[in-house]
Amino acid sequence: MTSGHTGTLRDPSDGVHWGTTVASLVVGAAFLALWFWLLPSWLGFDVDTAGAARWRWIAAVPSVLGFALAVRCTWDFGSTGHGTPAPMAPPQRLVVMGPYRYLRNPMYLGFLAGWIGLWVIFGRASVAAIAWACVVLAAVALFVVLYEQPTLRRKFGADYEEYCRNVRAWIPRMHPWVR
């Protein structure tokens, strides 16, 4: 059984929707691949493994964990939400399980942790790169506030309002929200 559009409970006869799950993972992988393809050329990253730079590889831990979180969220969009992270094929159910029980925007924070980890590994921060990163962060925050939240409010109504009252957008809860 599904409680409204939230996807918090699942009917055993409602098997995984493989089509939307695969589509969601493809969209997530394409987004990630695009950034890895663009990363070296427009940010000037270069790996240095000599001297103290070899310690930069410790940043691989938060990077891998952040990207793993983003992949898990992408999976949840397909398997539970029956959609993708892309606005043109959004989830049909409100996803309030897994990492979304702690934080409303875990995919964004996962990508942020992943990219910060890569930035440390490659060690090529510059004023221009930091400025670009700030612009991207501001654009993401504006996208969430001006498009994503109003769209979710219209689509999921009271379920989304209750979710917003109980789960913060950017600061994780200590314990998972249970509806």
Side-chain angles (χ1 to χ4, degrees), residues 41-81:
S41 64
W42 68 274
L43 289 179
F45 282 74
D46 184 26
V47 179
D48 180 12
T49 58
R54 69 177 173 260
W55 292 104
R56 290 187 192 143
W57 288 100
I58 292 172
V61 172
S63 186
V64 167
L65 292 175
F67 287 131
L69 174 62
V71 168
R72 164 62 196 269
C73 293
T74 301
W75 173 266
D76 290 342
F77 267 45
S79 65
T80 301

Side-chain angles (χ1 to χ4, degrees), residues 20-105:
T20 54
T21 301
V22 169
S24 184
L25 289 174
V26 167
V27 167
F31 179 76
L32 191 59
L34 173 68
W35 281 100
F36 272 109
W37 176 67
L38 291 174
L39 186 67
S41 64
W42 68 274
L43 289 179
F45 282 74
D46 184 26
V47 179
D48 180 12
T49 58
R54 69 177 173 260
W55 292 104
R56 290 187 192 143
W57 288 100
I58 292 172
V61 172
S63 186
V64 167
L65 292 175
F67 287 131
L69 174 62
V71 168
R72 164 62 196 269
C73 293
T74 301
W75 173 266
D76 290 342
F77 267 45
S79 65
T80 301
H82 308 295
T84 73
M88 63 284 289
Q92 299 306 302
R93 294 182 179 170
L94 182 61
V95 179
V96 294
M97 58 163 303
Y100 291 93
R101 292 171 48 197
Y102 295 89
L103 184 68
R104 287 198 323 255
N105 297 304

